[in-house]
Amino acid sequence: MSAREEMVLHTSPYSSAFLRCLTSLSWGFIFPCYWLLDRLLSSCVATSLEKRRRSQDPCSFVTLYVLVSTPLYLLLLLASLPFALLGFLLWAPLQAARHPYLYTHHRPDKHQAEQGGEASLADWRPQGRSFCFGSANVCLLPDSLARFNNLSETQRRAREVGKRIRNGASRPQIKIYIDSPTNTSISAVSFSSLVTGFRRTSSLDQRPDNTAEAETEPLTECPVHNAGADCPIHTAGADCPIPTAGADCPIHPTGEQSSSDCPVHVAGGENTPECPLHTAGAQNSSDCPVHNTGAQNSPDCPMHTSGVQISISAPEPDPPEAETGNYQGEGDAESLTGGMSSNNTLSHRTSMFKKHTGRKRRQGDDGIDHEISAFFPANLDFLCLQEVFDHRATSRLRRQLHHYFPYILSDVGRYAWKGCCSRFKFLNSGVMLASRYPILDAHYECYPNGRGEDALAAKGALFVKVQVGTSHQEQRVVGYLTCTHLHAIEGDAAVRCEQLDLLLAWGADFRKATSRPSEEKGLEDQVAFDVVLGDLNFDNCSSEDKLEQQHSLFSQYKDPCRLGPGEDKSWALGTLLDTSGLYDEEVSSPESLQKVMENEEGRKEYLVFPTNKNHCPNQTGRKIPLKGNGRRIDYILYREEVQQDWKVDIEEFSFITQLAGLTDHLSVAMRLAVSTGEEEP
């Protein structure tokens, strides 16, 4: 990794078309045997949902199907073995010439560009920018292996995971800028606001076909007040951002201000502190149906302030997806049966900002905004996924993510034998990175110390350099990301610590090798951020993980959820779900799982908690929790000082439930604000 020329972006698994053809031929011989073996093992391992359905319908043909299909799968498997052996003898040696990752760049069309697409690389200004990072373990193993985590239908889940992520990241975002410095009822960056747009919708609803036409429909009656000219929400003409009238009032759709379904009165009453419109002392105004006393432009009213600016971005509905591409996979019918419907319509959340220098944080002594969200953050910039092992599932997931992310690194890792992989690798690293910013360099390293079943996968670290802007001196402004998935077997703390040592050493080498001046301008790059994302397979509260908790990683990178070794912040949430309850009705949707996670009793029921080896299981079979709010093994860490005189602040940290029913992990997201501290020219 000493030479810059070695760090090129590989757009194909192999350097020659001949090797690609040989690999396709060999996989064609292997795939029937692989598929039949996967089906055979899957028929022997049932998920809790399948067991429940069988118990509720004892007359079903599922048992008969298993009895008939199992011998058939076994017979066909034996018949395919000679061809699989021939294909394996051809496939295994070819892996030595395979590139460690696949880089794909998809230029978004008009609809995709409005939903997300490539981020702007405009001149970097002193006030800086904010960047949003996400991480999720999606458990896309071969179906037979995923069933040991109580998950099934890997191909369907892969497509659904991609749809939910891109819909969450590209959903309309409404930002209300308020010029009233006296109003302290609204957070400066209220990403955690419970105002889910102007009409409450379910994430499983279908998006209406006439969305685009409705956006240009003129407003006939203001749902807030009738003084249309003074309304801070509804502008004149066809540019009105909220084209709703009459009985379709988006604030009180039932005509009753105290309706429990009202997206404004989230707590069921207008005078609650949670209501972002009816704050203390501003409930009544004769001129405003929301406030019955006082002036419409009262400084105490967060809706009718002296100066309000509205910024609304709403993408057009997704065009029908055409499943195209060269890949080996099952038909699309698999994703249409026995699964959840897609998050096609999302609850559009409103973020309110006060336009002054000081930020009012949410509750908490640390000053960090935090939330449990049913959706991935809007304008998600970088996404790191783990356990994307299955090749066909990788292709399906990549196609979905390319609707929002232009740049993706997938199929990361090694197969068979090569380099550090002293043991045969049946699976790659499972890591995938998606970015809205151009990727400049990428490098992968394989952990050489895997043990047991973990040694069958080429787990390692993916190091990426991205360009996020250009300075006034025409210097590139770049960022560094490290995506990883550590050893998973419990009790192997020494193995994980050794992998963390390698992670830090490899990261330092990568930054040194890629920090040379750009060839065009001869100017050194300016670094905006350095972030580590991934599933580290240890938490900060378990007594068995003390060795990892004290690792030097946490002295070089900051964990926003951590107070110190062995102690998390009060709002930190576990990310590992109890697999036995994945299909319970209480956690079957993003919204319901969000509600459960907001309740202490719900967390105890559906999260895996840190345990002490000296404790015994209780009557329900769960170990007694020590402290904290569950095992938090999914991390996003950032370096506080990456560029001299530059400032990196965390704006928000989120625990995300949008992948409910699709994986056994909660996702996490973090938003960083990066500024230079210079004067605006």
Side-chain angles (χ1 to χ4, degrees):
M1 198 172 65
S2 59
R4 182 180 177 86
E5 288 75 20
E6 295 178 5
M7 297 185 203
V8 295
L9 297 176
H10 306 294
T11 57
S12 173
Y14 297 92
S15 55
S16 71
F18 177 70
L19 293 179
R20 291 196 298 271
C21 291
L22 285 181
T23 302
S24 299
L25 177 63
S26 62
W27 184 245
F29 284 114
I30 297 173
F31 180 75
C33 181
Y34 163 80
W35 186 86
L36 290 167
L37 179 62
D38 187 48
R39 291 293 88 206
L40 180 62
L41 296 177
S42 297
S43 64
C44 301
V45 182
T47 64
S48 60
L49 179 62
E50 293 170 341
K51 293 178 181 178
R52 183 190 308 168
R53 289 174 176 174
R54 293 176 189 177
S55 62
Q56 292 175 350
D57 187 10
C59 298
S60 66
F61 292 95
V62 176
T63 303
L64 179 61
Y65 170 78
V66 172
L67 293 176
V68 173
S69 62
T70 300
L72 181 61
Y73 285 146
L74 182 59
L75 181 63
L76 294 176
L77 176 64
L78 295 175
S80 65
L81 280 177
F83 299 97
L85 179 61
L86 177 62
F88 177 80
L89 295 176
L90 179 62
W91 174 83
L94 292 173
Q95 302 312 300
R98 181 185 172 276
H99 296 313
Y101 59 80
L102 176 64
Y103 167 75
T104 54
H105 175 211
H106 177 75
R107 189 176 300 277
D109 57 24
K110 177 183 177 182
H111 296 290
Q112 296 169 5
E114 293 179 355
Q115 292 183 11
E118 189 167 354
S120 172
L121 295 180
D123 289 344
W124 185 275
R125 297 190 176 276
Q127 68 267 25
R129 295 180 186 174
S130 65
F131 302 95
C132 189
F133 308 84
S135 179
N137 185 316
V138 292
C139 197
L140 294 179
L141 289 154
D143 192 58
S144 56
L145 300 181
R147 287 172 176 269
F148 289 98
N149 287 347
N150 200 24
L151 294 165
S152 62
E153 296 181 324
T154 295
Q155 308 307 316
R156 178 193 64 82
R157 286 192 298 112
R159 185 189 302 176
E160 186 68 16
V161 164
K163 285 183 178 180
R164 292 194 187 184
I165 291 175
R166 68 180 177 88
N167 283 336
S170 63
R171 72 188 187 280
Q173 184 180 26
I174 303 176
K175 301 178 182 179
I176 303 179
Y177 297 88
I178 300 177
D179 282 334
S180 172
T182 61
N183 180 14
T184 59
S185 64
I186 301 177
S187 170
V189 184
S190 177
F191 293 102
S192 56
S193 171
L194 294 179
V195 184
T196 54
F198 292 95
R199 182 171 59 185
R200 178 166 297 178
T201 58
S202 168
S203 62
L204 301 181
D205 292 339
Q206 297 294 321
R207 177 178 291 141
D209 296 334
N210 60 346
T211 304
E213 291 77 1
E215 292 179 355
T216 60
E217 184 180 345
L219 176 72
T220 58
E221 183 177 350
C222 174
V224 180
H225 51 70
N226 294 326
D230 297 327
C231 176
I233 300 294
H234 300 102
T235 57
D239 294 331
C240 173
I242 306 179
T244 314
D248 294 331
C249 173
I251 293 186
H252 302 110
T254 61
E256 298 179 1
Q257 193 163 345
S258 60
S259 170
S260 59
D261 293 331
C262 175
V264 175
H265 305 118
V266 294
E270 67 178 62
N271 297 330
T272 61
E274 290 84 356
C275 178
L277 295 187
H278 301 102
T279 56
Q283 286 92 351
N284 301 317
S285 172
S286 59
D287 295 329
C288 175
V290 178
H291 310 103
N292 294 328
T293 62
Q296 177 176 316
N297 294 327
S298 169
D300 293 329
C301 174
M303 272 302 273
H304 310 110
T305 56
S306 57
V308 179
Q309 299 179 9
I310 309 298
S311 173
I312 299 182
S313 59
E316 295 182 10
D318 296 336
E321 178 186 355
E323 293 289 345
T324 59
N326 297 325
Y327 69 101
Q328 294 177 348
E330 299 175 14
D332 294 341
E334 178 184 358
S335 64
L336 300 177
T337 58
M340 296 182 180
S341 57
S342 174
N343 287 36
N344 289 328
T345 295
L346 300 168
S347 299
H348 303 158
R349 298 162 50 208
T350 302
S351 300
M352 299 188 179
F353 298 77
K354 285 170 34 177
K355 293 179 61 180
H356 56 88
T357 56
R359 288 189 59 214
K360 180 179 180 295
R361 303 285 188 174
R362 286 195 62 201
Q363 301 176 3
D365 297 334
D366 54 8
I368 297 178
D369 290 346
H370 52 271
E371 69 169 340
I372 303 173
S373 174
F375 307 100
F376 277 85
N379 301 322
L380 182 65
D381 295 308
F382 307 99
L383 176 67
C384 174
L385 300 177
Q386 303 90 47
E387 294 197 11
V388 188
F389 288 117
D390 187 84
H391 181 69
R392 294 176 299 146
T394 300
S395 299
R396 291 173 184 258
L397 177 59
R398 183 173 56 235
R399 283 197 300 273
Q400 291 296 327
L401 292 180
H402 262 316
H403 286 279
Y404 180 80
F405 294 101
Y407 309 95
I408 293 180
L409 294 172
S410 60
D411 203 9
V412 179
R414 303 286 189 186
Y415 295 96
W417 299 278
K418 185 178 179 180
C420 72
C421 302
S422 56
R423 289 192 179 185
F424 188 89
K425 302 298 181 182
F426 288 94
L427 301 171
N428 60 21
S429 70
V431 171
M432 174 185 284
L433 175 73
S435 171
R436 293 181 62 214
Y437 289 89
I439 297 175
L440 301 178
D441 283 304
H443 184 75
Y444 160 80
E445 291 283 356
C446 175
Y447 294 129
N449 60 342
R451 295 181 184 177
E453 61 269 21
D454 248 32
L456 300 178
K459 286 188 175 181
L462 176 66
F463 304 93
V464 179
K465 178 182 180 180
V466 296
Q467 182 177 0
V468 296
T470 305
S471 70
H472 293 292
Q473 294 78 24
E474 297 187 349
Q475 292 174 278
R476 292 189 309 189
V477 181
V478 302
Y480 286 97
L481 300 105
T482 301
C483 305
T484 190
H485 188 188
L486 296 189
H487 186 71
I489 299 177
E490 295 183 6
D492 285 348
V495 174
R496 283 184 286 273
C497 285
E498 184 179 350
Q499 292 179 350
L500 290 176
D501 292 337
L502 292 171
L503 180 78
L504 293 177
W506 290 336
D509 292 341
F510 178 76
R511 290 189 296 273
K512 182 179 179 180
T514 59
S515 62
R516 300 178 182 179
S518 61
E519 297 177 359
E520 300 132 359
K521 304 294 182 182
L523 300 174
E524 186 176 351
D525 294 334
Q526 293 183 310
V527 181
F529 56 80
D530 184 0
V531 177
V532 176
L533 312 94
D535 181 352
L536 303 188
N537 273 312
F538 66 86
D539 66 78
N540 193 42
C541 294
S542 293
S543 59
E544 298 178 355
D545 295 335
K546 285 184 178 180
L547 194 61
E548 299 98 314
Q549 295 163 9
Q550 300 172 359
H551 195 273
S552 60
L553 172 74
F554 298 103
S555 63
Q556 299 186 35
Y557 292 86
K558 182 176 178 60
D559 181 0
C561 304
R562 167 184 164 117
L563 285 174
E567 186 176 6
D568 275 346
K569 295 178 180 178
S570 59
W571 52 264
L573 191 66
T575 59
L576 186 60
L577 296 172
D578 190 330
T579 57
S580 63
L582 292 180
Y583 301 105
D584 289 0
E585 184 178 356
E586 292 82 357
V587 295
S588 59
S589 69
E591 293 88 351
S592 59
L593 180 57
Q594 177 192 28
K595 293 179 181 178
V596 168
M597 291 298 104
E598 291 171 346
N599 179 272
E600 183 178 359
E601 294 301 320
R603 293 193 292 267
K604 290 181 179 180
E605 179 69 20
Y606 289 101
L607 287 178
V608 176
F609 269 76
T611 58
N612 189 316
K613 54 178 133 182
N614 297 325
H615 284 172
C616 299
N618 59 17
Q619 293 180 352
T620 62
R622 304 178 191 273
K623 293 183 179 181
I624 301 174
L626 291 179
K627 55 184 177 180
N629 290 317
R631 291 203 66 200
R632 183 176 59 88
I633 64 176
D634 298 273
Y635 291 78
I636 303 182
L637 315 176
Y638 69 99
R639 196 185 292 269
E640 292 185 280
E641 297 182 3
V642 292
Q643 189 78 28
Q644 187 175 5
D645 298 329
W646 285 38
K647 188 177 181 181
V648 179
D649 287 324
I650 181 171
E651 289 187 346
E652 177 200 28
F653 197 94
S654 305
F655 297 92
I656 301 164
T657 64
Q658 192 167 7
L659 302 184
L662 302 177
T663 180
D664 56 347
H665 285 244
L666 295 182
S667 307
V668 291
M670 178 182 71
R671 195 179 299 271
L672 286 181
V674 183
S675 58
T676 64
E678 301 174 356
E679 294 292 335
E680 182 75 23

